[in-house]
Amino acid sequence: MDNKMQQHWEDVYKNKPLNTVSWYQPNVDTFKKVAQRVKLNANSVIIDIGGGDSFVADFLIENGFKNANVLDISKKAIERAKKRLNANANKINWIISDITNFETSNRFDLWYDRAAFHFLNDENQIDEYAKRAAEYVAENGYLAIASFSKNGPEKCSGLPVKQHNQDSLKKIFGNNFKLIDFFEEDHQTPSQKNQNFTICIFQKK
Ligand SMILES: C[S@@+](CC[C@H](N)C(=O)[O-])C[C@H]1O[C@@H](n2cnc3c(N)ncnc32)[C@H](O)[C@@H]1O
């Protein structure tokens, strides 16, 4: 991803208050639904990809997860999340990185991505993402992708997105993961618009 993309997200997090962005989801319903469908414990290593300053971090802390990571391309997003969490911020491992060139020796029991993967339009970027998911998700670990569905919007944050369904995600991740669950949901934005998401949960083969 280029610097222009990074700048786009820095500008978003500099200019838009938390409760005005279309993806605002204070009850973290999507994460909760995923967590009900997979096996996790307090020591599970979890990463929220493109987590921004979402409340998933708060939920993970409140629920006693000891190995939680949040990755985002935007430094400002991470600063905002840390500021909100205050003294609790040090319970999360914060990573500022473009996911398409992220490198780690860590292995994740749950790789969760809500509304970040769908910004990858280019085949090379999608390959880089899939390569990393395949390598960095632990044996029997889970990969949960929440993307705009084929009935969802064509843009998010003013950027074009790639809409997905079970088949398109299976095509991308299916070599290394098996699809174990699937659901759709309508997210209501702060301006009362519905956005249809497709959520696929895969397990490492
Ligand atoms: C639509 S927001 C969703 C935020 C959060 N996942 C949520 O559900 O509230 C997309 C997030 O992905 C981040 N992002 C976009 N492209 C990225 C990339 N290539 N690598 C890492 N983060 C990225 C953005 O900075 C932003 O925080």
Side-chain angles (χ1 to χ4, degrees):
M1 194 153 290
D2 51 30
N3 286 340
K4 239 170 76 188
M5 267 309 146
Q6 185 169 17
Q7 195 54 53
H8 171 87
W9 290 107
E10 295 299 0
D11 290 344
V12 166
Y13 286 105
K14 265 177 207 145
N15 298 317
K16 290 208 140 201
L18 174 64
N19 61 358
T20 66
V21 295
S22 58
W23 53 93
Y24 179 60
Q25 192 192 40
N27 60 14
V28 296
D29 255 4
T30 315
F31 187 85
K32 285 181 189 161
K33 286 182 205 161
V34 168
Q36 279 163 8
R37 288 163 157 87
V38 300
K39 288 191 191 118
L40 297 174
N41 61 53
N43 293 314
S44 297
V45 187
I46 297 173
I47 187 161
D48 185 6
I49 303 293
D53 65 346
S54 93
F55 289 92
V56 169
D58 310 48
F59 178 86
L60 292 170
I61 294 168
E62 279 157 24
N63 287 278
F65 288 101
K66 296 189 185 73
N67 293 299
N69 300 264
V70 174
L71 175 146
D72 204 275
I73 197 169
S74 162
K75 186 166 173 256
K76 184 71 188 166
I78 302 280
E79 273 170 24
R80 276 175 35 163
K82 283 183 172 173
K83 194 168 170 200
R84 185 182 69 240
L85 286 160
N86 204 354
N88 272 334
N90 63 12
K91 295 184 178 159
I92 300 275
N93 179 37
W94 303 97
I95 304 160
I96 300 165
S97 173
D98 179 337
I99 187 55
T100 62
N101 54 40
F102 173 51
E103 292 192 356
T104 182
S105 56
N106 224 341
R107 294 296 175 265
F108 304 103
D109 300 307
L110 173 61
W111 172 297
Y112 172 79
D113 180 319
R114 173 176 181 261
F117 176 71
H118 66 199
F119 289 105
L120 304 182
N121 278 302
D122 179 274
E123 255 185 52
N124 287 337
Q125 290 177 343
I126 292 176
D127 278 358
E128 292 299 334
Y129 186 108
K131 235 166 53 189
R132 283 164 175 77
E135 189 175 346
Y136 300 152
V137 173
E139 284 307 296
N140 297 317
Y142 304 99
L143 165 71
I145 304 283
S147 147
F148 282 171
S149 77
K150 300 279 181 187
N151 299 317
E154 290 173 354
K155 283 190 162 190
C156 180
S157 186
L159 299 172
V161 304
K162 209 168 173 79
Q163 301 165 322
H164 287 285
N165 59 19
Q166 286 183 61
D167 288 340
S168 66
L169 291 174
K170 265 201 266 188
K171 215 167 148 192
I172 295 165
F173 298 107
N175 280 345
N176 299 288
F177 294 91
K178 62 175 186 293
L179 185 68
I180 58 161
D181 211 336
F182 160 82
F183 58 96
E184 290 203 348
E185 68 181 13
D186 277 324
H187 165 65
Q188 199 175 54
T189 70
S191 58
Q192 312 301 314
K193 289 193 183 103
N194 272 348
Q195 298 183 325
N196 192 247
F197 275 77
T198 186
I199 297 97
C200 284
I201 305 176
F202 294 91
Q203 188 165 26
K204 183 109 168 253
K205 281 183 186 167

